[in-house]
Amino acid sequence: MSSELTLLHFHRNLRLHDNAALHIAAGLDCPTVGAFVFPPDCNPRQRVFLRQTLAELRGELAALGIPLHVFTGDAADALNGLLARYPFAAFVSPLPVRRTAGERLPAVYRVDEGLPVLSVQPDGLPPDFAAYRTAWLQQARQAGILPPPDAATWQARQTRLPAECRNVPPLPDAQAVPLAAQGGEAAARRLWAGFLPRLSDYPLHGGFPAKKGVSQLSAHFCFGTLSVREVCRDIRAGGQDGAAWLDGLARRAYCRRALPFSDGLLELTMKEGRAALHWLQPPKMIRETDGSGGEALIRWQEGRTGVPIIDAAMRALNGGGSLHPALRRLCADFLTGRLNISAAHGEACFAAWLTDYEYAVNHHNWQQVDRLNNPFAESLNLDPDGRFIRRHLPELAHLPASALHAPHLAGSDVETNGYPPPCVQV
């Protein structure tokens, strides 16, 4: 068997277009084997989203002649299985990988999917977000994109791939759960094409959960089914600024930089005469929480706090794995500031339910929680006509807006169909 093979590791870059790792593998001009390992803390909705995404990606790569091996379990162990079976000359990965000295080891090519925003601090961490955002937006306005993969060239190259490398296991099963976001690059590109003409309306409508003011692309950016560089190119081409909307992408990038190695740090070394990967730093994962949250935590999770905007938000999250950014902050502030429950419980809940869950982003956001002054006032600001509340709390849908936001104040003659009073004084 030829030893001139490339192992192409997919992680948060599950797409064909503007894929730097795929571009590097093409430049190496060796037959290529693709691999993906489900994240260790992948929740049920993410498994469904990823299975949809990987089914599409596997088909697109197969058209180029590239087999995609998909695994569950420990990523180092899974990749070591391939390294042991096939003598690879190169390893291309979006994860940080350190290579020990050794001529017999595969060459390592680390691909950073982020925009090249340089740190200004000696410890290697990014500066405060305001400074990082300014630098990130500057790079976003200049970012170019890579050409699409050349199918004919890839197909010719892959004819040299040994037949046994093409035998890929079936995709892991995923439990059927309600999912607000469909996986795959095609779905991401459809969402982006629909949102781009509305981008200029984002500063006006983006803060209202009931309006179609957000892109609904968060899960896609989490797993890289859509290129940040490509959306920045499209915004420039349309003559738009887009800074208000791009703020969310800059913040995701900032969280990743502020928690380096949150997805792990690998080392490639020789072990028992063969190349092997092991974790220098394993991926960060949510710690198990104790039972200190009690009944109030359960009511918050199930959307039964008696505060309609909080309950509508949590039921929306339960129902599809997606939640408007403003409502994430509101629910977090209510949990910690009003129910006096540790942020660790909320962090674990969001990790279990959000399709776009990513440790670095989720952890950073839960460190920013603040005291919520008046949830009913916030309700009027975020959902003034009550459309969002009515959508997710059908038992209150008949109420006029004057009673909808705080039905416990509307009087005993108002029918609330069993909706509870607030579980805490607010």
Side-chain angles (χ1 to χ4, degrees):
M1 180 189 295
S2 170
S3 62
E4 295 299 310
L5 301 179
T6 295
L7 178 54
L8 174 57
H9 177 211
F10 288 85
H11 186 55
R12 296 191 186 278
N13 60 335
L14 303 181
R15 63 181 184 274
L16 221 57
H17 293 82
D18 192 40
N19 189 316
L22 186 62
H23 185 74
I24 288 176
L28 297 175
D29 199 27
C30 295
T32 297
V33 175
F36 175 83
V37 186
F38 275 77
D41 55 353
C42 186
N43 66 49
R45 285 198 174 91
Q46 291 183 310
R47 290 184 70 89
V48 174
F49 183 90
L50 284 171
R51 197 179 192 283
Q52 294 172 352
T53 298
L54 293 165
E56 178 185 284
L57 181 62
R58 177 177 273 185
E60 291 174 334
L61 290 173
L64 302 178
I66 304 172
L68 178 63
H69 295 252
V70 177
F71 306 96
T72 58
D74 182 83
D77 291 344
L79 295 171
N80 282 338
L82 291 175
L83 288 169
R85 286 161 58 194
Y86 311 116
F88 290 99
F91 177 52
V92 182
S93 177
L95 287 180
V97 183
R98 293 179 183 173
R99 180 183 184 273
T100 60
E103 295 181 359
R104 297 170 57 194
L105 288 172
V108 171
Y109 299 86
R110 195 274 166 108
V111 182
D112 189 344
E113 284 286 331
L115 295 177
V117 179
L118 299 178
S119 169
V120 296
Q121 297 192 150
D123 59 6
L125 296 178
D128 63 87
F129 177 66
Y132 183 88
R133 177 183 181 275
T134 299
W136 190 94
L137 287 173
Q138 183 178 3
Q139 289 293 330
R141 295 185 177 102
Q142 302 170 358
I145 64 171
L146 298 167
D150 186 290
T153 302
W154 267 110
Q155 290 163 0
R157 180 185 300 124
Q158 292 300 104
T159 60
R160 312 197 310 265
L161 185 70
E164 57 265 40
C165 296
R166 303 182 187 276
N167 298 325
V168 297
L171 292 175
D173 291 332
Q175 175 187 356
V177 291
L179 192 67
Q182 180 184 353
E185 182 177 5
R189 298 177 78 83
R190 285 194 300 270
L191 282 173
W192 174 238
F195 178 71
L196 183 58
R198 298 185 281 113
L199 178 64
S200 59
D201 296 331
Y202 179 80
L204 184 63
H205 298 308
F208 298 100
K211 297 181 181 292
K212 293 183 178 180
V214 296
S215 67
Q216 299 179 318
L217 282 164
S218 185
H220 291 282
F221 287 122
C222 175
F223 291 110
T225 57
L226 189 63
S227 162
V228 171
R229 293 182 295 268
E230 192 169 0
V231 302
C232 292
R233 186 277 313 268
D234 291 346
I235 292 172
R236 291 198 310 272
Q240 302 191 63
D241 176 63
W245 179 75
L246 287 170
D247 183 87
L249 297 185
R251 191 170 293 277
R252 179 181 292 277
Y254 177 81
C255 293
R256 291 174 175 175
R257 298 294 189 195
L259 281 173
F261 312 132
S262 60
D263 282 340
L265 169 63
L266 288 165
E267 183 177 55
L268 181 65
T269 186
M270 293 298 294
K271 183 178 181 181
E272 299 177 355
R274 62 180 55 172
L277 291 160
H278 69 95
W279 294 109
L280 288 176
Q281 291 187 33
K284 295 184 182 297
M285 297 175 63
I286 294 291
R287 296 178 181 176
E288 291 188 10
T289 56
D290 55 29
S292 61
E295 177 65 20
L297 175 62
I298 295 173
R299 292 182 65 169
W300 178 81
Q301 292 172 329
E302 295 179 350
R304 296 187 295 109
T305 67
V307 179
I309 191 65
I310 300 295
D311 295 340
M314 294 304 293
R315 292 190 201 181
L317 175 57
N318 269 312
S322 179
L323 191 58
H324 190 281
L327 293 176
R328 298 187 194 202
R329 292 189 295 269
L330 189 70
C331 291
D333 291 346
F334 184 81
L335 180 74
T336 59
R338 288 294 179 176
L339 299 182
N340 294 317
I341 294 175
S342 167
H345 290 286
E347 187 177 349
C349 176
F350 277 21
W353 293 350
L354 283 169
T355 310
D356 67 357
Y357 165 68
E358 182 178 345
Y359 179 89
V361 179
N362 191 51
H363 181 73
H364 176 86
N365 289 342
W366 276 94
Q367 301 308 302
Q368 311 303 311
V369 292
D370 200 359
R371 180 169 179 80
L372 180 62
N373 291 324
N374 187 326
F376 301 111
E378 286 297 317
S379 180
L380 286 166
N381 290 334
L382 293 172
D383 191 29
D385 58 5
R387 285 169 53 199
F388 180 81
I389 293 174
R390 290 189 178 90
R391 185 183 306 159
H392 297 285
L393 300 183
E395 65 267 43
L396 301 182
H398 63 287
L399 296 181
S402 59
L404 184 63
H405 296 275
H408 66 292
L409 299 179
S412 57
D413 58 332
V414 172
E415 178 58 61
T416 59
N417 297 310
Y419 184 75
C423 64
V424 66
Q425 185 175 357
V426 291

